[in-house]
Amino acid sequence: MKRVKDMIIIGKKRIGKDYPVFIIAEAGVNHNGSLQIALKLVDAAAKAGADAIKFQTFKAEQVATPESKMASYQKKNIGKQESQLEMLKKLELKEDFYAPIIKRCHEKNIIFLSTPHGGFESVDFLKSLNVPAFKFGSGDINNFPVLEYAAKFNKPMIIGAGMASMKEAACAIAAIQKAGNKKIIVLHSTSNYPTFPFEVNLRAMQTMMKELGVLVGYSDHTLGIQIPIMAATLGASIIEKHFTLDRKMSGPDHKASLEPKELRAMVKAIRDVEIIMGSHVKQPVASEKKHKLLARKSIVAAGNIKKGVKIKENMLAIKRPGKGTEPRFWNKIIGKKTKKNLKKDQFIVWRDLI
């Protein structure tokens, strides 16, 4: 097993296997080009209890050529066919939106993140906004020029690993590390919207944890909240989940997104998971201690036993409460002699034996 960096800080949040799950509410392009919708998304993510909200930063011409076709799920979700370029132009987050969105994030005490989807220029723009981390989508896991460029700013790097093999994920990590950045978190993901349960393969996330030598999380595209809760239970350091104000809105990602109440339920369930998982130490909890003597048993006299008698097995019984000698000493008591008369159900204690 490779050595894993124990903890990475994003904003004021500590991320690692011994820290709370870092929950990213993925707004993505679900703002539909509207500042008001973007601000409402910030409010909803903060109210749900997410640690961060993430958008996407790009100009359409930086992402796709006119020949780039829409994905099948995009055509299905939008209900028409056009080029990616045409679709993306309507989903840009305008530069003058960033200041009010970041201001709202500060007011709501939620971390602002955005994916530099437009490459070098987007990285520079987000750096100028002093974002606390860079999150790259799965489509950029082999985009070494941009990954290496962003790595040099020494901010935490969150990398989506959808559509990638273990070898490709390892190569991306190596490229970032070679550029001098060790603050890496890789997210297991399946790049299908929505992802079907049989495509999730959470065991692969566990393998990534063992083999990649970095923190590992999960970016979810399934319907509902069951899978991200399971991922949190299995040790994901980060959970990322798309959300929208209304799944009926027009756009490529709304239909595979949670609505605000569902996002809130997911966050609560993950926080419950953290409580339930507890610590790595096996010991009685406080509430058990008062039940311990009542529930456990002791070795007692099965009937009256006279002084000086050599104890045989049929002279003993095991009954509650657990105030006396523990049953694990049964064989050591057999063959001992009594120092005094013992009554039925009296505890057998060492001071009364020879």
Side-chain angles (χ1 to χ4, degrees), residues 211-333:
E211 295 188 7
L212 291 179
V214 297
L215 294 176
V216 172
Y218 176 65
S219 180
D220 186 57
H221 305 125
T222 64
L223 298 177
I225 65 174
Q226 178 187 7
I227 309 300
I229 296 167
M230 291 175 65
T233 305
L234 292 174
S237 296
I238 288 180
I239 294 292
E240 179 181 72
K241 181 74 173 178
H242 281 265
F243 84 108
T244 178
L245 298 178
D246 187 343
R247 269 194 295 274
K248 295 178 182 177
M249 293 173 70
S250 176
D253 294 340
H254 293 287
K255 286 182 172 60
S257 301
L258 297 179
E259 292 184 343
K261 286 184 179 179
E262 296 167 315
L263 179 65
R264 201 177 317 150
M266 186 196 80
V267 172
K268 182 183 183 304
I270 290 173
R271 298 305 177 216
D272 287 344
V273 163
E274 293 166 350
I275 295 168
I276 293 164
M277 293 300 286
S279 75
H280 297 283
V281 179
K282 171 56 182 167
Q283 62 182 3
V285 298
S287 63
E288 287 182 299
K289 291 176 181 177
K290 62 184 179 182
H291 302 309
K292 189 173 178 179
L293 293 180
L294 298 175
R296 289 192 174 181
K297 297 173 182 176
S298 304
I299 301 173
V300 299
N304 294 333
I305 304 174
K306 292 183 178 181
K307 177 180 176 182
V309 170
K310 188 175 183 180
I311 292 178
K312 297 179 182 178
E313 188 170 352
N314 62 1
M315 297 178 181
L316 302 176
I318 299 172
K319 298 182 182 182
R320 289 175 173 171
K323 292 181 178 179
T325 303
E326 295 180 38
R328 63 193 177 100
F329 295 111
W330 177 272
N331 290 331
K332 291 187 177 182
I333 286 177

Side-chain angles (χ1 to χ4, degrees), residues 82-98:
E82 57 188 357
S83 71
Q84 273 205 33
L85 191 62
E86 291 173 303
M87 176 189 72
L88 290 170
K89 281 181 179 177
K90 292 175 279 191
L91 299 173
E92 293 178 0
L93 193 65
K94 294 181 177 61
E95 286 194 12
D96 58 354
F97 287 4
Y98 284 84

Side-chain angles (χ1 to χ4, degrees), residues 95-272:
E95 286 194 12
D96 58 354
F97 287 4
Y98 284 84
I101 289 172
I102 292 172
K103 181 174 182 289
R104 183 67 65 88
C105 286
H106 288 157
E107 291 170 352
K108 298 294 182 176
N109 196 29
I110 189 169
I111 295 169
F112 171 84
L113 296 173
S114 188
T115 292
H117 202 34
F120 300 106
E121 289 185 36
S122 295
V123 170
D124 284 338
F125 179 69
L126 290 172
K127 180 180 176 294
S128 74
L129 298 176
N130 199 30
V131 293
F134 291 121
K135 175 5 176 67
F136 287 91
S138 297
D140 280 319
I141 197 165
N142 64 345
N143 190 351
F144 289 5
V146 171
L147 293 180
E148 291 166 350
Y149 179 72
K152 293 176 182 178
F153 297 118
N154 203 34
K155 294 178 181 288
M157 302 273 286
I158 306 169
I159 313 297
M163 304 175 288
S165 65
M166 188 71 73
K167 182 177 180 181
E168 287 176 313
C171 287
I173 291 166
I176 294 167
Q177 290 175 334
K178 189 175 180 180
N181 193 326
K182 309 295 183 185
K183 294 180 283 190
I184 305 166
I185 306 167
V186 175
L187 305 185
H188 175 52
S189 181
T190 304
S191 296
N192 193 19
Y193 304 79
T195 297
F196 299 106
F198 66 86
E199 298 175 314
V200 173
N201 196 16
L202 282 181
R203 285 196 175 98
M205 182 186 75
Q206 293 178 297
T207 305
M208 292 164 70
M209 292 174 178
K210 293 175 183 175
E211 295 188 7
L212 291 179
V214 297
L215 294 176
V216 172
Y218 176 65
S219 180
D220 186 57
H221 305 125
T222 64
L223 298 177
I225 65 174
Q226 178 187 7
I227 309 300
I229 296 167
M230 291 175 65
T233 305
L234 292 174
S237 296
I238 288 180
I239 294 292
E240 179 181 72
K241 181 74 173 178
H242 281 265
F243 84 108
T244 178
L245 298 178
D246 187 343
R247 269 194 295 274
K248 295 178 182 177
M249 293 173 70
S250 176
D253 294 340
H254 293 287
K255 286 182 172 60
S257 301
L258 297 179
E259 292 184 343
K261 286 184 179 179
E262 296 167 315
L263 179 65
R264 201 177 317 150
M266 186 196 80
V267 172
K268 182 183 183 304
I270 290 173
R271 298 305 177 216
D272 287 344

